[in-house]
Amino acid sequence: MTTPSGASHEDDYWRRPSEDARPTSPAPTPPPGPGGPGTTTDGPGGGGTGGPGLGRPPAAPVSPSPWAAPTDVPPAAATPPPAPPSGPGYAGPPPTTPPPPGWRPPVHLQATPPRTLPPQDMEAMDASEQQAQRLTYVVGAVAGAVLLALLCLLCSRALF
C-alpha cells in the first residue's frame, strides 16, 4: 500500500493513474533524469513532486503502461468474410391476414354492472374535518406550552 507524500493535492492519492503512469515495483530503477545519469528530481527523498503520475510525467517511459493495449502482439491474419448461408435463409415472419370487420372475441360471462355509491353528507364531513383541525391545534398548543416551560426552567437553572 502506498501513502501520499504530502507534496501533492490530497485528492491525488485516490485518483486512477493516467495511461502513461507505471506501477511502482519493490526496487524501481529510475530512468536517467535531466541532470545526467544517477540524478533524479522525482522520487522519495528527491525533493520532487511526489512520484510518477503526481507531478510532471517521467522523461522517457521504460515500459508501456500495464493498462495500455499490448504492442508485441503480431497482427491477426486477414480473415475472409463469412460465406452466406446455403439455402433461402430467414425470410421474415409469415404474412398475417386481418380479421373481418366487426369481429370481436366471444363473450362467455357477462359482468354485473357496478353498484352506486351511497350519497355523501358534505355538512357532516366538513364538521368532522373542523373538529379534527381544532384537536390538532389544541395538541400543538399544549406541546408548545410544555416546551416553553422546559426552556424557561433550563434557562433559569443556567442563569441562577
Side-chain angles (χ1 to χ4, degrees):
M1 180 173 140
T2 59
T3 57
S5 65
S8 64
H9 192 267
E10 62 187 30
D11 286 341
D12 289 343
Y13 177 69
W14 301 106
R15 294 185 198 272
R16 182 180 295 270
S18 63
E19 283 297 317
D20 59 344
R22 296 182 319 272
T24 58
S25 61
T29 58
T39 60
T40 59
T41 56
D42 266 6
T49 58
L54 298 178
R56 62 178 177 80
V62 177
S63 64
S65 171
W67 298 281
T71 57
D72 57 352
V73 177
T79 59
S86 61
Y90 180 67
T96 59
T97 57
W103 176 85
R104 295 279 179 229
V107 177
H108 296 289
L109 181 64
Q110 189 72 311
T112 59
R115 298 176 300 177
T116 58
L117 292 174
Q120 295 180 349
D121 186 6
M122 294 302 227
E123 289 82 21
M125 286 175 43
D126 288 340
S128 65
E129 286 180 4
Q130 288 174 356
Q131 184 181 3
Q133 187 177 17
R134 279 193 300 266
L135 178 66
T136 302
Y137 288 156
V138 167
V139 168
V142 168
V146 168
L147 288 176
L148 182 64
L150 286 175
L151 182 66
C152 289
L153 180 67
L154 289 175
C155 287
S156 67
R157 289 190 52 93
L159 293 176
F160 301 113

